[in-house]
Amino acid sequence: MQVRVECCGVTARFAGAARVQMTLPEAATVRDLFALLSERSSEFAEVLARCACARGDAIVPRGTVLADGDELALLPPVAGG
Amino acid sequence: MSAQDFPRIQSAPLSLDALLSGSERDDCGALAIFAGTVRNHHEGRAVRSLTYSSYARVAEKMIREIEAEIAARFSVPVCLAVHRVGSLAIGETAILAIARGHHRAETFAAMQALVEAVKHRVPIWKEEFYADGTSAFVNGCTLVAAEDLPPAESRLHCTPVQSLAL
């Protein structure tokens, strides 16, 4: 299955783009997605450990099972204001 | 436009008049206003400008939830906040918040809680551009659920603020 991932904040630098398309096995979870992305570099893996994942307008835990066509976002630590 | 349906994440300069409009309450004797503006230094480095970005789908919802939560917790009838995104120059307003309460004590407290919550819980990111030509994202608070954090990892990382120099 395929999911679209919006890379927010600093994660875009590690992913190399603001949006990436990822191919995952059926019944893959957010944890599986993060593991796949973490293979890109140890620095990215370190940032991902502190990233939340959003699906639509909700933050979802690592154990969430993904579906084909999901629109996800990587949310690194926040610093508004 | 009612107080509930304007965007909380805005790319145009923030307007205090617009935020106050329609928020008046005859039963409130206190109005607290906070504006966070772009500072020209951070941890000893000269800052030329900032760029704020957000994940608006969550941020819009979360700011509304925070407003309702703080209004209920402090019993203040009005709690509103807006945050700017895009490139901001020194002195520009990044966040505006208002609270109207019956008395000043709970209104001050609500305002502080509102601003802290928006800073620490809403998916908004700040990239600082320094006088030496480099830039860095300001590290902040993780939104990862406690059960998903690595052991010994704290949810709050806002003090001291650290930069990810890339």
Side-chain angles (χ1 to χ4, degrees):
Chain A
M1 66 176 175
Q2 294 221 315
V3 297
R4 284 176 38 176
V5 183
E6 184 170 335
C7 304
C8 298
V10 73
T11 64
R13 291 190 180 179
F14 293 107
R19 288 180 179 77
V20 295
Q21 189 98 5
M22 300 293 292
T23 301
L24 296 165
E26 292 303 313
T29 63
V30 170
R31 186 173 290 107
D32 296 325
L33 169 66
F34 276 36
L36 192 58
L37 289 168
S38 293
E39 292 175 2
R40 296 187 175 201
S41 72
S42 58
E43 292 85 359
F44 197 8
E46 195 174 321
V47 170
L48 284 167
R50 297 186 62 222
C51 280
C53 181
R55 179 164 63 182
D57 66 0
I59 293 175
V60 294
R62 294 280 206 274
T64 302
V65 176
L66 301 173
D68 186 47
D70 271 352
E71 294 190 0
L72 308 167
L74 303 177
L75 310 181
V78 302
Chain B
M1 187 182 295
S2 79
Q4 294 307 312
D5 59 14
F6 62 86
R8 269 40 172 195
I9 302 295
Q10 302 181 9
S11 55
L14 302 178
S15 165
L16 179 58
D17 287 342
L19 193 58
L20 289 170
S21 176
S23 73
E24 299 84 356
R25 299 263 311 201
D26 289 347
D27 60 344
C28 289
L31 165 62
I33 297 171
F34 176 81
T37 58
V38 177
R39 195 176 50 224
N40 71 354
H41 62 94
H42 176 59
E43 293 187 335
R45 301 186 72 180
V47 175
R48 285 264 171 86
S49 66
L50 294 181
T51 294
Y52 286 96
S53 57
S54 82
Y55 184 63
R57 293 177 75 175
V58 171
E60 287 282 348
K61 187 176 88 164
M62 203 166 277
I63 290 178
R64 286 172 170 78
E65 288 175 355
I66 287 168
E67 291 169 350
E69 171 193 319
I70 300 295
R73 192 200 311 170
F74 293 92
S75 297
V76 294
V78 176
C79 250
L80 297 169
V82 289
H83 203 292
R84 177 98 180 268
V85 291
S87 182
L88 276 69
I90 303 303
E92 283 198 270
T93 301
I95 180 173
L96 264 184
I98 64 168
R100 290 185 185 272
H102 305 297
H103 305 284
R104 66 182 181 280
E106 69 266 29
T107 309
F108 279 135
M111 171 57 70
Q112 178 152 11
L114 173 63
V115 174
E116 293 296 321
V118 170
K119 285 172 70 78
H120 297 163
R121 289 164 48 189
V122 179
I124 295 170
W125 301 279
K126 175 164 50 179
E127 184 175 13
E128 294 180 329
F129 293 82
Y130 304 109
D132 63 5
T134 63
S135 72
F137 280 89
V138 175
N139 203 1
C141 303
T142 181
L143 301 180
V144 177
E147 62 268 27
D148 285 334
L149 278 174
E153 185 84 5
S154 165
R155 187 175 184 80
L156 294 177
H157 287 258
C158 297
T159 306
V161 176
Q162 295 177 321
S163 296
L164 288 171
L166 294 173

